[in-house]
Amino acid sequence: LSSPLDTNYFGREHSGIKHLFLRKYIELAAFATMGGGFRSFNYVDGFAGPWSVSDDDEYSDSSFHQAIQTILSVKKNLEARTGRTCRARFCLCERNSQRADKLKRFAAEQLQIEIYVFEGAFEDRLEDIDRVCADGFTFTFIDPTGFNLGSVKIAKFLARQNGDYLLNFMSEHINRYPSVESVNKAFGRLLADTDWKSNFERLPHYLKNEEKILFLLKNRLKELGAGRFMPDFEIMNPRRNRLQMRLVLGTSHPLGVSYFRDVQSQVSNIQTEVRDQIRNPGQDTLFIMPSLNGVGSDRAIEAAKLSILKQLNFRSPQDFSELIAPVLEDAAIRETHLKDVLCQLQQSGNVSFALVGRQRKPKKGTLIHILR
Ligand SMILES: C[S@@+](CC[C@H](N)C(=O)[O-])C[C@H]1O[C@@H](n2cnc3c(N)ncnc32)[C@H](O)[C@@H]1O
């Protein structure tokens, strides 16, 4: 029975899931942007490695290699279809000098590809990267090993770019610290706020540390202009029932949130399959049990209801299309679930909307009113 992940990921399947998500999101973003008028696509890997790879020759199980292959394949496909040339630039940054040397050797071998290698801390190379990505759509991948990074500089860089970013939020790492005091300084740097403790203490006690830090980080990034919407996806430890990390998207485009949930719905099924196979090796998975927290799960539907009522309490009526991004940011659902949830809320007397002709569900142009 074959695993949906390459054998290179044996023992670190969570990295395989991370790379799968990265590839699938980049593919959608590259098609939409290069196919929709952007002349170039810039990929920035701020913490590139190569790190813990099994393929030491070609780095096929690294984030940068997979991103490069994905973007080049979209570029080729679009060029063949439209006859227009698209440009792809790759900026790889790494602090560790031995790894940076490996990146330089790798880049020197890729004669046809525009790769720039930056040695040093990402926080210190942002202006140089800015100069390379002066035009086009920029996708940034932020995948540090821990949480000790200077996010104010990074957030300002992200705010300057026309594009999206994916941040690997190290949940397991953060939960491992028994007291937040022990990492006071590092959290202050991460949250770009020396006075973070008072906001932290105001959050509900039932939340885990990583949930509180994630909440504060998202708010801070938004305040600094690094994205309007920030949905996230949980990656589990493959062998334990424990959260390992979260992939957080930062986007200012409503479509980015829809793409994120589309990718999540595919990748979370694969994550469930991979974890099942580890638990029951050799047994065929006849059907995949939808994960408890998967896209469209009961928990996600409940979150969506709360989010819809929150948006409409703020302003009512709202067009169906205006509700999509904010609700999909809060709840792991897709647009099709949103239509069904609105119908349920109408039946329970919480909202109202008019359907015309043979229309069964709300769609773009349908005005949703809250009933008080
Ligand atoms: C988790 S690994 C990256 C893995 C890679 N993104 C992948 O998925 O294949 C993090 C890398 O970031 C590097 N690093 C740590 N702090 C850094 C910093 N401030 N700036 C740039 N690189 C850093 C580490 O040396 C390590 O190689």
Side-chain angles (χ1 to χ4, degrees):
L1 188 70
S2 68
S3 164
L5 293 178
D6 191 286
T7 49
N8 277 334
Y9 290 107
F10 183 78
R12 54 180 196 109
E13 291 81 2
H14 49 287
S15 294
I17 297 292
K18 172 179 80 176
H19 289 163
L20 185 63
F21 198 104
L22 174 73
R23 267 195 340 257
K24 284 187 177 287
Y25 187 84
I26 285 182
E27 187 174 32
L28 291 178
F31 264 117
T33 53
M34 285 197 276
F38 279 93
R39 296 294 300 277
S40 56
F41 190 98
N42 311 312
Y43 172 77
V44 177
D45 205 323
F47 300 75
W51 183 80
S52 285
V53 288
S54 303
D55 177 4
D56 273 315
D57 299 322
E58 295 187 12
Y59 309 123
S60 59
D61 53 339
S62 70
S63 54
F64 63 86
H65 187 280
Q66 300 206 6
I68 291 172
Q69 294 307 318
T70 306
I71 294 159
L72 292 182
S73 128
V74 173
K75 172 172 147 37
K76 200 169 144 196
N77 184 313
L78 283 172
E79 286 175 344
R81 259 202 267 164
T82 63
R84 259 194 320 116
T85 358
C86 313
R87 185 171 181 182
R89 304 182 183 104
F90 301 95
C91 294
L92 313 181
C93 180
E94 171 57 49
R95 187 171 66 183
N96 175 290
S97 56
Q98 281 171 337
R99 290 177 206 150
D101 284 346
K102 288 185 182 175
L103 288 179
K104 287 177 198 161
R105 281 198 294 276
F106 169 82
E109 284 164 16
Q110 320 297 318
L111 298 176
Q112 309 295 327
I113 311 178
E114 202 174 328
I115 305 184
Y116 304 83
V117 175
F118 299 89
E119 181 173 345
F122 185 46
E123 298 89 319
D124 297 336
R125 302 303 312 264
L126 296 166
E127 270 109 47
D128 303 316
I129 297 173
D130 255 342
R131 273 190 284 278
V132 172
C133 307
D135 58 7
F137 180 90
T138 301
F139 177 91
T140 308
F141 186 41
I142 302 164
D143 184 22
T145 11
F147 51 79
N148 192 357
L149 68 157
S151 48
V152 75
K153 280 188 182 171
I154 298 179
K156 286 183 178 165
F157 165 83
L158 296 170
R160 286 196 297 273
Q161 306 308 313
N162 188 0
D164 294 350
Y165 60 92
L166 197 64
L167 164 77
N168 180 3
F169 182 76
M170 305 298 287
S171 305
E172 198 262 350
H173 209 85
I174 291 178
N175 275 339
R176 223 187 293 153
Y177 288 89
S179 80
V180 289
E181 276 75 18
S182 56
V183 279
N184 194 348
K185 254 198 171 146
F187 279 178
R189 274 188 85 213
L190 176 72
L191 298 171
D193 178 8
T194 45
D195 193 25
W196 64 276
K197 267 306 281 295
S198 49
N199 289 332
F200 182 90
E201 267 148 17
R202 257 182 256 133
L203 293 172
H205 292 299
Y206 57 81
L207 292 180
K208 296 205 175 98
N209 278 353
E210 68 91 26
E211 290 173 308
K212 293 184 190 170
I213 297 291
L214 179 70
F215 178 85
L216 296 178
L217 180 65
K218 284 185 179 182
N219 279 351
R220 199 70 183 104
L221 288 169
K222 284 184 186 177
E223 267 170 21
L224 292 164
R228 283 171 60 207
F229 307 107
M230 302 190 71
D232 67 90
F233 163 59
E234 301 177 352
I235 298 187
M236 303 298 288
N237 181 300
R239 285 168 180 75
R240 297 204 163 93
N241 208 12
R242 196 169 68 202
L243 178 61
Q244 186 78 26
M245 56 200 176
R246 292 174 193 260
L247 292 180
V248 183
L249 176 76
T251 182
S252 291
H253 203 294
L255 211 56
V257 192
S258 296
Y259 286 166
F260 185 90
R261 295 303 184 198
D262 289 348
V263 169
Q264 179 179 350
S265 85
Q266 296 172 38
V267 175
S268 64
N269 284 341
I270 294 175
Q271 166 160 260
T272 308
E273 196 180 332
V274 168
R275 299 180 78 229
D276 275 355
Q277 286 189 9
I278 292 173
R279 245 172 289 142
N280 308 304
Q283 278 183 34
D284 205 348
T285 328
L286 286 178
F287 61 96
I288 306 289
M289 288 287 286
S291 102
L292 223 58
N293 303 325
V295 176
S297 66
D298 291 351
R299 192 178 92 162
I301 297 293
E302 286 315 305
K305 286 183 183 166
L306 289 176
S307 176
I308 293 167
L309 297 177
K310 180 180 81 182
Q311 312 301 333
L312 292 172
N313 263 322
F314 179 61
R315 183 164 55 82
S316 171
Q318 285 193 51
D319 192 294
F320 171 77
S321 54
E322 286 179 281
L323 285 175
I324 303 173
V327 176
L328 267 59
E329 177 190 26
D330 285 346
I333 60 162
R334 301 172 78 187
E335 197 178 315
T336 156
H337 300 116
L338 177 60
K339 294 181 177 177
D340 293 337
V341 177
L342 283 167
C343 292
Q344 287 176 22
L345 284 175
Q346 183 165 46
Q347 271 168 12
S348 57
N350 296 98
V351 305
S352 83
F353 49 84
L355 299 174
V356 282
R358 300 173 64 191
Q359 195 186 337
R360 291 268 158 273
K361 295 178 183 178
K363 60 176 186 184
K364 188 169 189 276
T366 309
L367 275 184
I368 318 288
H369 298 256
I370 192 155
L371 295 177
R372 291 176 219 270

